[in-house]
Amino acid sequence: MTRIAFIGLGNMGGGMAANLVKAGHEVHAFDLSSEALARAQENGCQTYTSVREAVQGAQAVVSMLPNGEIVESVYSADVIGHAPRSALLLDCSTIDVATARKVEEAARAAGYEMVDAPVSGGIAAANGGTLTFMVGGSEAAFAKAEPILAAMGKAVIHAGASGAGQAAKICNNMILGATMIATCEAFALADKLGLDLQTFFDISSKASGQSWSITAYCPVPGVGPQSPADNGYQGGFAAALMLKDLKLAMEAAKAAGAMVPMGQRAQELYEAFAAAGNGAVDFSGIIKTL
Ligand code: NAD
């Protein structure tokens, strides 16, 4: 059993903290939201009224927060210098690579080991303990992080040095954003050309156009496996979150001097989709605009 402080018990963090409890860890939880804290308590976490209290005596600190600005402020104000120096720090939020590296450097300078460990998989995977973790950090830090993350996921992969987890996450989601739009436009065109869409699925899922967006998440209702398309594009992965990840990818590409024309176009299309009031709609719902 490890004493783990858990910060950020929202849609994702709530289920992740509950899975740490189920795995036998002692979880000391904090969130700004009293509802989130009440749910965490029902799930067996001990709850606290500040980050500083929650990290007292912790052997590990896990965070699942909305963005890089919040991650940086929580770690610099209330974790670094307040958690024991021996505590392993794991940030599972999706944030920009530069901030992830900056926070890790500050933690390392103060004597801590820290990993960035963003996740693939949505709320269902967080609740079910089937997330995929992409981890950035030293070999030694990864070895310590792995058993903790394994209690919340089905795969834990060492992506490389600090920031590599975030880099892998945004590159993966840039593929996903662009391929989902490509899938949507191809199915919309197939329809206009008079193809039966189930037949086109049967072909494209076995031909060279095949992708996860087709075989696991087909954006056409009634075609392919069960997906948010079969549920009015509710649930799943919100367009606003896809847009967040594409913006992070564009920032990283700019900083690295990389050309990303497909990612750029995907970002523009999701920006317009979200601005039209579809931020909460599943990202495959963009098919309705094509
Ligand atoms: P959420 O908004 O549901 O949860 C974030 C939680 O952080 C909230 O409960 C909020 O009260 C809390 N919080 C905010 N500021 C805080 C602070 N200073 N101190 C303590 N708690 C604070 O968001 P989510 O959907 O759980 O996403 C969390 C992270 O996971 C994000 O970085 C997101 O990009 C990433 N992510 C989400 C999904 C998804 O499908 N929802 C999938 C993969 C990755």
Side-chain angles (χ1 to χ4, degrees):
M1 183 203 67
T2 305
R3 185 191 282 198
I4 301 173
F6 203 111
I7 311 187
L9 303 148
N11 288 322
M12 298 291 290
M16 292 163 69
N19 284 323
L20 288 175
V21 172
K22 279 186 205 150
H25 298 296
E26 181 181 313
V27 179
H28 292 206
F30 175 72
D31 194 292
L32 292 176
S33 145
S34 48
E35 292 98 80
L37 273 184
R39 267 196 314 276
Q41 197 161 26
E42 279 167 27
N43 289 330
C45 300
Q46 297 176 31
T47 57
Y48 291 84
T49 52
S50 71
V51 173
R52 287 188 191 186
E53 282 177 50
V55 302
Q56 288 300 311
Q59 292 162 287
V61 178
V62 178
S63 52
M64 194 54 167
L65 293 162
N67 59 48
E69 210 178 314
I70 294 175
V71 168
E72 189 175 359
S73 83
V74 165
Y75 276 87
S76 63
D78 297 316
V79 177
I80 296 173
H82 298 280
R85 293 289 193 285
S86 55
L88 176 70
L89 311 182
L90 306 96
D91 179 40
C92 297
S93 327
T94 301
I95 68 169
D96 61 288
V97 178
T99 300
R101 289 185 176 149
K102 192 170 157 197
V103 175
E104 189 273 341
E105 268 167 37
R108 187 156 30 90
Y112 296 89
E113 282 183 303
M114 179 166 190
V115 295
D116 49 294
V119 306
S120 175
I123 299 162
N127 290 334
T130 57
L131 294 165
T132 294
F133 289 90
M134 308 159 214
V135 186
S138 68
E139 289 285 351
F142 175 75
K144 291 181 192 161
E146 216 237 334
I148 295 171
L149 298 173
M152 302 182 282
K154 66 170 170 20
V156 182
I157 301 162
H158 192 193
S162 172
Q166 299 295 351
K169 164 81 185 170
I170 57 172
C171 289
N172 179 73
N173 278 23
M174 189 172 78
I175 298 174
L176 179 60
T179 55
M180 178 54 79
I181 295 170
T183 301
C184 289
E185 66 187 24
F187 273 88
L189 175 61
D191 191 33
K192 289 198 167 68
L193 294 176
L195 279 167
D196 173 69
L197 293 185
Q198 179 62 49
T199 305
F200 180 56
F201 173 87
D202 294 341
I203 294 167
S204 62
S205 61
K206 291 186 184 63
S208 48
Q210 184 275 337
S211 71
W212 185 89
S213 295
I214 295 177
T215 53
Y217 216 93
C218 186
V220 180
V223 175
Q226 188 75 20
S227 73
D230 301 308
N231 189 29
Y233 301 99
Q234 298 307 304
F237 184 45
L241 288 175
M242 172 49 83
L243 179 59
K244 172 193 166 180
D245 293 354
L246 287 168
K247 283 183 172 165
L248 292 175
M250 293 310 101
E251 263 177 48
K254 198 168 164 199
M259 269 184 69
V260 286
M262 303 297 285
Q264 174 70 40
R265 190 70 187 120
Q267 194 225 280
E268 289 160 10
L269 292 170
Y270 276 110
E271 185 112 57
F273 186 59
N278 298 306
V281 172
D282 180 75
F283 80 119
S284 66
I286 201 163
I287 195 169
K288 292 187 287 184
T289 66
L290 295 164

